[in-house]
């Protein structure tokens, strides 16, 4: 069978940039197909409704709802509307664990979730952020999430759900992920060299801390002469996190120990480390 995986992208976080690509990196899987509907940059009710109605019409086996601040009324309403239509939902969002009541409600719900703690908000001040700066920041953040192992863990969790659908499970029968992607989980099993692991873990911790700095610069500080240096420093933190990730991967390359886990056409995941070898 062919599993239909919907991706409802509401606004933007770095995890949303790669969500469907992680599941079919060479675009040759024959056991699944993905469809993305996006609200663009906005989280207005009319934009979200357009996404929800489009997704309902496609009727996926399950839907991934990706958004910043997944406990806001818009993203929350989107997944509730999809669930009412009988579509199981997995929430992918940035760190909402500090919103204790909202996070507790999500934990107790039937929705799956993957909380990407390092997928930190951008320094969105007009005096600092232009399109180039935005793209550069997101490029660094994607590198951190990829090379620390966070994206692999996210992909593996989604593949588990795809496998359940292939086994004949549907709706409430599906066991959906409930994961908080912290630094320990991200780097687990990713590195053979302890120095590489330490660098990757440091990168994830730095990226995670960027959110607090940008919150200070975007919402808690007045006067551009005061908040511009703050958000600029947050972007420098993310750049250094990306540098640490490059260093960690170069260490693994030097030992011919980079882990690669590609999908086969039937969706089975194979594995290898030695560069000149075939995955098994």
């Amino acid at each position: 069978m062919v599993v239909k995986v919907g991706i409802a992208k509401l606004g933007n976080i770095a995890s949303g940039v790669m969500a469907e690509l992680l599941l079919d990196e060479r675009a040759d899987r024959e056991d699944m197909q993905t469809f993305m509907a996006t609200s663009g940059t906005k989280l207005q009710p009319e934009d979200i409704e357009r996404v929800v109605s489009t997704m309902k019409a496609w009727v996926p086996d399950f839907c991934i709802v990706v958004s910043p601040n997944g406990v806001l009324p818009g993203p929350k309403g989107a997944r509730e509307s999809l669930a009412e239509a009988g579509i199981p939902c997995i929430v992918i969002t940035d760190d909402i664990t500090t919103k204790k009541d909202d996070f507790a409600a999500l934990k107790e719900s039937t929705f799956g979730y993957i909380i990407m703690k390092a997928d930190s908000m951008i320094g969105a001040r007009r005096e600092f952020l232009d399109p180039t700066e935005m793209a550069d920041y997101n490029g660094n953040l994607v590198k951190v999430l990829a090379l620390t192992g966070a994206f692999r863990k996210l992909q593996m969790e989604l593949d588990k759900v795809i496998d359940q659908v292939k086994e004949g499970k549907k709706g409430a029968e599906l066991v959906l992920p409930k994961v908080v992607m912290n630094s320990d989980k991200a780097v687990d099993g990713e590195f053979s060299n302890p120095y590489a692991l330490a660098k990757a873990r440091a990168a994830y911790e730095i990226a995670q801390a960027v959110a607090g700095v940008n919150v200070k610069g975007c919402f808690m500080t007045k006067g551009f002469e005061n908040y511009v240096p703050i958000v600029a420093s947050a972007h420098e933190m993310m750049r250094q996190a990306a540098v640490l990730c490059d260093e960690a991967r170069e260490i693994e390359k030097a030992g011919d120990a980079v882990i690669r886990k590609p999908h086969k056409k039937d969706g089975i995941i194979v594995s290898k480390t030695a560069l000149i070898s075939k995955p098994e």
Side-chain angles (χ1 to χ4, degrees), residues 36-48:
M36 176 180 281
T38 177
S39 68
T41 59
K42 302 291 194 298
L43 286 173
Q44 299 302 318
E46 60 272 20
D47 300 307
I48 291 175

Side-chain angles (χ1 to χ4, degrees), residues 57 59 118 158 264:
V59 195
L158 298 178
K264 295 173 69 175

Side-chain angles (χ1 to χ4, degrees), residues 117-121 137 141 144 148 183 198-214 233-245:
K117 288 177 73 69
D119 203 337
S120 294
M121 72 167 286
Y137 176 88
L141 178 47
V144 171
T148 57
S183 57
K199 285 177 179 288
R201 194 181 186 286
Y204 200 91
E205 292 285 352
I206 292 168
Q208 198 170 286
V210 165
V213 179
N214 274 330
S233 72
H235 281 226
E236 289 299 319
M237 289 169 67
M238 192 61 76
R239 187 177 76 84
Q240 290 302 320
V243 169
L244 282 167
C245 285

